[in-house]
Amino acid sequence: MANALPSNLLDESLGGSSGGGRMILVEDCVETSGAFVVHHLLKRALNSHSSDAVVFLSFSHPLSHYDRVLRKMGCNLSVQRDNKRLLFLDMLALDHLDRNRGKTSEDILIALYGEIQKAVEISRSHEARHHITVVIDDVSLMEVDANGSSDLVLDFLRYCCSLTAQFGCSLIALNHGDVYSTVDQPNLLLQLEYLADIVIKIEPLATGLAKDVHGQLTVTNRNLRVDSGKSRSRIHNFQFRIKDNSVEYFYPGSKT
């Protein structure tokens, strides 16, 4: 992904952050889905100008769903899988979860992390592989699969974050922020935001529905190094419109 050149406001707001060692949290809500951001980041990770690899952990949809969406964007996931650039772990498959064997949620997540770690190690041993991205879609459904145990999910995500330091991977996780709207202390959501180097929030317009604007994005890019050696955060705000096979990004007020 390090070879991908910025082509829109979202890419520009991410800067070189996708090059490795960072976690990106995509946070959406019922009114405005953030799936298009995950699709964009997935395509960016598998761009034709690199040999980078992706480990995709899906609690939401089978591979066929993402393949249909990404084909419209010019990326064939089936080909990428056959070329060993994509490892897709379908958590919707009962045989994958081993529920019928009486395993606990903790057993399943430990085994799952072992699969991810092994896949990353194998990919890193490949001379042509420069970078690996781990994608999780989505955290709230993982929590459901863990019988509501946010502690298990947090432990799993912390282990995944350790891969960013150990192997220079990127970690991308989608979560639904409004799931915790009735919780006084949404520990999982707060911890995710704490762990993340970049938080991408997708929200509806504050002014309500609009024909040519489907929502707004706030990208908080943390721990950016400046000339003095200190770190700082940078916040980008812009709006978007979802089209048939692409997404248009623009600054507020620039769309007429």
Side-chain angles (χ1 to χ4, degrees):
M1 262 196 322
N3 294 328
L5 296 175
S7 57
N8 54 50
L9 291 177
L10 178 55
D11 286 331
E12 291 171 4
S13 67
L14 296 174
S17 61
S18 58
R22 307 195 80 185
M23 175 183 174
I24 300 175
L25 173 64
V26 182
E27 189 177 303
D28 68 0
C29 58
V30 171
E31 295 90 343
T32 315
S33 170
F36 71 92
V37 175
V38 175
H39 301 152
H40 175 85
L41 296 174
L42 179 58
K43 180 187 177 183
R44 176 171 162 149
L46 294 170
N47 81 85
S48 59
H49 301 293
S50 78
S51 59
D52 299 344
V54 171
V55 179
F56 197 113
L57 177 59
S58 176
F59 290 84
S60 300
H61 305 285
L63 176 62
S64 58
H65 167 81
Y66 300 99
D67 196 22
R68 284 194 298 270
V69 174
L70 269 292
R71 278 176 190 260
K72 292 181 180 181
M73 300 169 63
C75 180
N76 191 319
L77 294 187
S78 297
V79 170
Q80 302 291 1
R81 182 186 58 183
D82 294 342
N83 291 338
K84 309 299 183 184
R85 291 190 63 193
L86 172 66
L87 173 63
F88 190 87
L89 301 176
D90 186 357
M91 300 310 296
L92 297 175
L94 289 177
D95 56 336
H96 196 119
L97 287 172
D98 284 334
R99 287 190 178 119
N100 57 333
R101 299 181 186 178
K103 291 190 176 181
T104 66
S105 298
E106 184 175 10
D107 292 335
I108 292 169
L109 290 180
I110 290 173
L112 185 58
Y113 173 74
E115 281 192 64
I116 294 173
Q117 183 181 38
K118 182 179 179 180
V120 169
E121 290 175 347
I122 292 174
S123 293
R124 287 291 293 173
S125 67
H126 195 292
E127 291 184 0
R129 296 282 182 258
H130 300 296
H131 181 65
I132 299 101
T133 300
V134 178
V135 182
I136 302 174
D137 184 8
D138 64 62
V139 172
S140 59
L141 290 179
M142 180 192 294
E143 188 178 9
V144 172
D145 265 12
N147 295 317
S149 175
S150 59
D151 289 340
L152 283 179
V153 173
L154 272 175
D155 286 343
F156 177 84
L157 291 170
R158 289 191 183 105
Y159 276 117
C160 288
C161 282
S162 71
L163 296 175
T164 66
Q166 186 177 358
F167 297 103
C169 304
S170 290
L171 174 63
I172 299 169
L174 172 66
N175 196 32
H176 307 309
D178 54 349
V179 170
Y180 311 95
S181 59
T182 59
V183 180
D184 292 334
Q185 294 293 329
N187 184 54
L188 180 57
L189 182 62
L190 294 175
Q191 287 296 320
L192 280 174
E193 293 179 351
Y194 175 78
L195 287 172
D197 299 286
I198 299 175
V199 178
I200 305 175
K201 288 192 176 183
I202 303 95
E203 301 170 301
L205 293 175
T207 55
L209 296 175
K211 181 179 179 181
D212 295 326
V213 184
H214 293 156
Q216 58 190 10
L217 282 172
T218 302
V219 181
T220 304
N221 201 331
R222 300 171 178 163
N223 301 320
L224 293 173
R225 294 293 175 183
V226 294
D227 294 338
S228 63
K230 297 181 179 179
S231 62
R232 63 181 178 86
S233 297
R234 179 176 296 170
I235 299 176
H236 303 261
N237 293 288
F238 45 92
Q239 298 173 341
F240 65 90
R241 179 188 179 191
I242 300 176
K243 300 181 178 181
D244 287 340
N245 56 2
S246 64
V247 179
E248 182 182 3
Y249 304 95
F250 42 86
Y251 290 112
S254 64
K255 189 74 174 175
T256 58

